[in-house]
Amino acid sequence: MSRTVAFIGLGHMGGPMAANLAKAGHRILGHDLVPALVEAAAGQGVEPAGSAAEAVAGADLVISMLPAGRHVLGLYDDILGAARPGTLFVDCSTIDVADARTAHEQAVAAGMRALDAPVSGGVVGAEAATLTFMAGGGEAEFAEAEPLLAAMGKRAVHCGGAGAGQAAKICNNMILGVSMIAVSEAFVLAESLGLSHQALYDVASTASGQCWALTVNCPVPGPVPGSPANRDYRPGFAAPLMAKDLGLAANALREGGVRAELGLRAAELYAAYAEGDGADEDFSGIVRTIRKQSGEKP
Ligand code: NAD
């Protein structure tokens, strides 16, 4: 069934996601604060709307893909009053769990329905429509959004009630950040012990050290030819995005009183790396910082 969707935020992720929805036959009314992005989306079948409120007024569903929680809450403040009663608001941005729950409450208080549905898969996944969505909200809301999520991704998991999608995203990325640091430290230790990268890989990739950070995104060049280490750490998954997600995890850890020393430390290490050498690098490049700080040669 073809739906009319207001798509707000046509950046690196939102632009190709909106284009894939248009390609699937939905009517997409697009808006971004940057006019050039609205123009680019228009070339991909997205109808330009003069404002977010204008896009929302004629829509069955509203999808947002914005930088952070304050943008989502600000947008909801601006547009909830412009939507038809009962409109489903699907926020795909990665934001604080607490902000996601506030956004749900605001939508419901305004007579709307809501779902949080952050993604993993990056810009490549957004372009190829192979994203994974992690959704939080009611069964009926998830069922209504599912055909649209299917046009933008390959998998959608209903994780629970309001905020559960954001919770799943930050828990997963906390595992990833901590495991990338652990794998990188192991490679630098191997270097200092005279053990080759390939030998460590051959053992750990089929033993109990096996994980995605090692076998798919291996932080040293050689063992996994497709990993960003083989192209001078061009992202991939950029370090500033990992730093952002670990910052959200750290907020949730503090708010929940969870004693997660590695998660909090990973957030600190990635924040420092993303502000320095890692600003334009894949997050696996943190191995170079660990090596540099250890005084080891590659
Ligand atoms: P981006 O900065 O490229 O796009 C965000 C867009 O939102 C910008 O174009 C901005 O102008 C627009 N915007 C902000 N406030 C607005 C408003 N009130 N009305 C209309 N437009 C507004 O960011 P991105 O890389 O597309 O990421 C979007 C979200 O997806 C973030 O939350 C990010 O953490 C998450 N994410 C990104 C990636 C990735 O690889 N880039 C991967 C997974 C998740």
Side-chain angles (χ1 to χ4, degrees):
M1 181 178 50
S2 171
R3 310 295 308 267
T4 299
V5 180
F7 204 114
I8 315 296
L10 300 168
H12 291 100
M13 296 293 290
M17 289 165 71
N20 282 328
L21 283 174
K23 212 186 296 171
H26 300 288
R27 180 175 178 225
I28 310 300
L29 306 166
H31 181 68
D32 195 289
L33 298 177
V34 179
L37 293 173
V38 180
E39 252 174 64
Q44 304 288 316
V46 174
E47 290 178 41
S51 67
E54 187 187 310
V56 163
D60 305 323
L61 285 100
V62 178
I63 299 181
S64 46
M65 194 52 166
L66 305 180
R70 66 179 187 283
H71 303 98
V72 176
L73 294 177
L75 175 75
Y76 279 26
D77 265 351
D78 289 347
I79 63 172
L80 282 170
R84 296 197 288 242
T87 299
L88 177 57
F89 280 67
V90 181
D91 180 45
C92 294
S93 329
T94 302
I95 67 175
D96 264 312
V97 177
D99 286 341
R101 291 187 175 143
T102 303
H104 273 257
E105 283 163 16
Q106 288 182 350
V108 169
M112 308 298 161
R113 295 169 307 130
L115 198 71
D116 52 291
V119 305
S120 78
V123 176
V124 171
E127 285 169 351
T130 55
L131 294 169
T132 294
F133 289 87
M134 296 148 258
E139 290 284 355
E141 285 70 25
F142 179 68
E144 182 174 345
E146 221 177 355
L148 296 164
L149 304 183
M152 299 184 283
K154 63 174 176 5
R155 190 156 179 256
V157 181
H158 187 206
C159 299
Q166 300 292 349
K169 164 104 186 168
I170 60 170
C171 289
N172 178 74
N173 281 15
M174 189 172 84
I175 296 172
L176 179 59
V178 170
S179 60
M180 181 55 81
I181 291 169
V183 168
S184 298
E185 289 180 351
F187 273 113
V188 176
L189 175 61
E191 289 163 13
S192 91
L193 295 171
L195 178 67
S196 74
H197 290 163
Q198 191 64 47
L200 173 58
Y201 180 84
D202 288 346
V203 172
S205 63
T206 54
S208 43
Q210 190 276 335
C211 62
W212 190 92
L214 175 68
T215 58
V216 178
N217 219 79
C218 186
V220 294
V224 179
S227 79
N230 297 280
R231 45 172 202 265
D232 204 24
Y233 298 94
R234 212 164 10 90
F237 183 40
L241 289 170
M242 174 52 89
K244 174 193 168 179
D245 293 355
L246 286 171
L248 297 177
N251 291 346
L253 289 168
R254 289 192 199 97
E255 276 164 25
V258 179
R259 190 175 163 167
E261 294 184 17
L262 295 185
L264 290 174
R265 187 71 186 123
E268 287 171 3
L269 291 174
Y270 267 106
Y273 170 57
E275 278 168 21
D277 292 347
D280 300 313
E281 290 185 358
D282 184 77
F283 79 117
S284 60
I286 200 164
V287 71
R288 296 202 281 203
T289 299
I290 295 167
R291 186 183 291 126
K292 201 157 71 180
Q293 289 171 350
S294 310
E296 294 293 333
K297 299 275 174 297

